[in-house]
């Protein structure tokens, strides 16, 4: 096994690093400094983050591993991992386009017709069309197969009825990729279809609502006899075959849980910052950045030091595991139920990284910004992309072959 990077991969890393450094500074300046950038889950912050997305696109960094004809730069998946490491190392902002680029796009590559790909992907990479995920409903979260929103075929398109909820950044997006029941006689996983829906379709109402941390990160989306024309998306609004929505959706969850949504770079950078936080406290034990379980003037407990080392190694282990995943994918493997194990790993790792930081900070965490905000968001990791209880069920039944009961 050769874990070293080739000369061209190292040159790619250097190019990414230089571009990020220059453009992050320019983006901060554009908005009056880094402190003036708001959360991408607020309306004002979303607009600022769109400027960043367009900058990424202009530099051909928005979707590095896609073919150039669709808005990418033909980079390999390994180079994408390198880019992600550099992205988080530089402290670049969360991608407000992520649900399109990292969730929908891999599925469009797998199931989309050439016409759908030619229309949807370049507009997504350019942040012209902004996609949100319309799967969960008030009575269908963990039990996703309980979807009740329906789409009925009619002349020239579909009539949509029902409600979606927990739609991340739905209030700021232009399009939704949704799961709808298209066979009224069907039950559970059968008879669902995966539809691409412009949110300005008459009869669609989007109502944003706030998260516990105060950001307006969510929306409910209502469909009230909405007419979705077949050609509302060139190439058609149906992604994959009619009635095959569950299979198409499972491809989306495979990439979401297994690779694209949370790459190792994010956790490696957080682990590195945690080590910095720890060291800052050691060099100045009276600083507020070390007021935690260690009284000023004393050093952190051996147990805390061990936890930091352990969590740092877990981030590194995730990196090595992901290199293996990418090698398997490059060899033709497809992401399967084992992506559920991956999702449990990264979401619990994120919680642990942030919990340790708050312990180090102690009462100072109350007034500190990034770590406490990051901790609040880390708590949602075991819920979104399918709860960890459900991922453990999937791993038990479909990876280990254990009985359902
Ligand atoms: C930050 C965030 C962003 C999200 N973004 C989106 C989005 O963009 N689009 C979208 O469609 N959805 C989104 N969701 C919704 C998310 O997919 C659901 O919250 C999740 O699937 C759980 O569904 P639920 O909230 O209805 O909880 P429930 O399904 O009601 O679950 C409640 C609890 O019961 C447990 N439970 C349920 N069934 C079982 C079982 N069979 N075995 C063991 N335990 C069980 C669950 O694990 C959970 O702890 C988002 C959620 C969050 C937190």
């Amino acid at each position: 096994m050769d874990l070293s990077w080739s000369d061209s991969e190292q040159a790619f890393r250097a190019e990414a690093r230089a571009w990020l450094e220059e453009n992050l500074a320019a983006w901060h300046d554009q908005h009056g400094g880094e402190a003036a950038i708001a959360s991408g889950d607020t309306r004002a912050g979303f607009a600022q983050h769109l400027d960043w997305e367009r900058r990424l696109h202009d530099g051909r960094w928005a979707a590095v591993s896609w073919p150039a004809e669709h808005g990418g730069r033909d980079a390999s998946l390994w180079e994408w991992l390198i880019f992600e490491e550099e992205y988080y190392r530089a402290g670049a902002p969360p991608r407000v386009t992520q649900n399109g680029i990292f969730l929908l796009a891999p599925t469009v590559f797998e199931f989309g017709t050439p016409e759908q790909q030619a229309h949807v992907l370049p507009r997504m990479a350019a942040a012209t069309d902004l996609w949100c995920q319309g799967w969960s409903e008030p009575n269908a979260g963990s039990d996703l197969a309980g979807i009740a929103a329906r789409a009925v075929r009619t002349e020239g398109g579909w009539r949509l009825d029902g409600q979606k909820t927990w739609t991340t950044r739905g209030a700021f997006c232009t399009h939704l990729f949704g799961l709808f029941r298209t066979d009224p006689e069907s039950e559970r996983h059968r008879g669902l279809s995966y539809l691409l829906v412009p949110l300005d379709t008459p009869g669609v109402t989007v109502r944003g609502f706030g998260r516990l941390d105060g950001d307006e990160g969510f929306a409910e989306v209502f469909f009230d006899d909405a007419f979705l024309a077949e050609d509302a998306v060139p190439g058609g609004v149906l992604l994959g075959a009619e009635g095959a929505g569950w299979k198409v959706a499972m491809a989306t969850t495979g990439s979401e849980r297994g690779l694209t949504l949370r790459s190792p770079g994010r956790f490696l950078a957080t682990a590195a910052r945690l080590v910095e936080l720890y060291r800052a406290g050691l060099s100045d034990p009276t600083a507020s950045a070390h007021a935690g379980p260690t009284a000023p003037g004393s050093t952190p407990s051996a147990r805390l030091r061990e936890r930091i080392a352990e969590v740092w190694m877990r981030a590194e282990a995730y990196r090595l595991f992901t290199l293996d995943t990418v090698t398997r994918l490059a060899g033709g493997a497809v992401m399967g139920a084992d992506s559920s194990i991956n999702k449990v790993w990264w979401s619990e790792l994120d919680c642990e990284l942030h919990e340790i930081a708050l312990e180090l900070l102690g009462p100072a965490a109350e007034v500190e910004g990034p770590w406490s905000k990051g901790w609040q968001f880390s708590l949602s990791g075991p819920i979104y992309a399918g709860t960890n209880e459900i991922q453990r069920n999937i791993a038990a039944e479909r990876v280990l072959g254990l009985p359902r009961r």
Side-chain angles (χ1 to χ4, degrees):
M1 192 184 298
D2 179 6
L3 289 176
S4 56
W5 298 112
S6 68
D7 288 347
S8 74
E9 284 163 340
Q10 290 185 45
F12 178 89
R13 184 186 291 279
E15 188 187 349
R17 185 174 291 193
W19 187 91
L20 283 162
E21 198 177 316
E22 184 187 333
N23 282 274
L24 259 178
W27 178 58
H28 292 157
D29 288 349
Q30 183 184 353
H31 293 287
E34 190 174 357
I37 307 274
S39 157
D41 289 320
T42 60
R43 191 166 289 279
F46 189 83
Q48 293 172 326
H49 283 68
L50 275 188
D51 287 337
W52 171 248
E53 289 293 335
R54 291 181 180 133
R55 212 176 257 277
L56 281 173
H57 179 256
D58 292 346
R60 292 176 47 246
W61 297 105
V64 292
S65 62
W66 296 7
E69 61 175 306
H70 296 318
R73 59 163 61 207
D74 287 316
S76 68
L77 277 178
W78 287 279
E79 286 169 325
W80 172 70
L81 288 176
I82 291 173
F83 176 70
E84 289 273 298
E85 284 182 15
E86 291 303 318
Y87 190 88
Y88 288 102
R89 198 195 68 89
R95 301 286 305 270
V96 292
T97 52
Q98 68 172 25
N99 286 2
I101 290 178
F102 297 134
L103 268 56
L104 176 60
T107 313
V108 172
F109 278 115
E110 193 175 341
F111 291 94
T113 63
E115 200 182 347
Q116 282 173 324
Q117 292 175 355
H119 176 79
V120 170
L121 296 168
R123 294 175 65 84
M124 185 191 289
T128 306
D129 294 344
L130 301 159
W131 290 87
C132 58
Q133 180 184 26
W135 293 13
S136 302
E137 298 180 1
N139 293 314
S142 298
D143 186 21
L144 189 62
I147 277 177
R150 59 183 192 278
V152 177
R153 253 202 198 281
T154 182
E155 197 176 332
W158 302 82
R159 293 243 164 235
L160 310 183
D161 278 286
Q163 183 197 342
K164 299 291 176 184
T165 191
W166 307 122
T167 315
T168 294
R169 291 186 275 272
F172 316 134
C173 286
T174 60
H175 289 69
L176 170 144
F177 53 101
L179 274 178
F180 293 83
R181 194 161 293 285
T182 44
D183 176 358
E185 305 298 316
S186 68
E187 283 183 7
R188 310 292 301 157
H189 310 81
R190 296 188 190 83
L192 298 172
S193 296
Y194 202 110
L195 291 173
L196 307 175
V197 187
L199 285 172
D200 62 2
T201 301
V204 177
T205 308
V206 182
R207 194 182 70 82
F209 65 98
R211 298 190 310 208
L212 273 179
D213 67 1
D215 291 354
E216 189 191 335
F218 284 130
E220 294 175 301
V221 185
F222 300 90
F223 304 90
D224 192 8
D225 196 26
F227 175 67
L228 174 65
E230 192 57 53
D231 60 1
V233 170
V237 291
L238 187 62
L239 187 61
E242 183 174 342
W246 188 261
K247 181 178 162 205
V248 184
M250 288 309 102
T252 306
T253 62
S255 25
E256 178 181 23
R257 295 169 186 160
L259 183 66
T260 48
L261 185 65
R262 297 287 180 250
S263 75
R266 177 182 173 114
F267 307 104
L268 291 167
T270 310
R273 287 196 184 103
L274 185 64
V275 172
E276 271 170 36
L277 184 71
Y278 170 74
R279 289 202 174 122
L282 280 190
S283 59
D284 180 7
T286 56
S288 63
H290 232 282
T294 57
S298 66
T299 52
S301 71
R303 176 71 198 119
L304 199 53
R305 276 206 316 271
E306 264 174 38
R307 279 177 70 197
I308 293 170
E310 202 182 297
V311 81
W312 186 90
M313 285 191 289
R314 275 165 61 191
E316 193 61 29
Y318 182 44
R319 176 173 163 268
L320 296 175
F321 180 78
T322 306
L323 289 173
D324 180 58
T325 303
V326 164
T327 305
R328 284 187 291 119
L329 290 176
V334 285
M335 208 68 84
D338 51 350
S339 60
S340 291
I341 303 173
N342 201 57
K343 195 261 154 166
V344 171
W345 179 271
W346 58 247
S347 56
E348 292 187 349
L349 173 60
D350 205 32
C351 291
E352 178 78 359
L353 284 161
H354 286 89
E355 271 164 26
I356 299 174
L358 292 208
E359 261 194 59
L360 278 173
L361 288 164
E366 297 277 337
V367 288
E368 187 272 351
W371 280 111
S372 43
K373 184 99 176 160
W375 173 73
Q376 287 168 23
F377 189 71
S378 75
L379 296 179
S380 68
I383 303 173
Y384 66 79
T387 71
N388 284 9
E389 289 78 17
I390 296 300
Q391 305 318 304
R392 287 189 161 92
N393 284 350
I394 295 172
E397 290 164 21
R398 297 186 33 216
V399 181
L400 299 175
L402 298 177
R404 281 180 71 84
R405 289 183 188 279

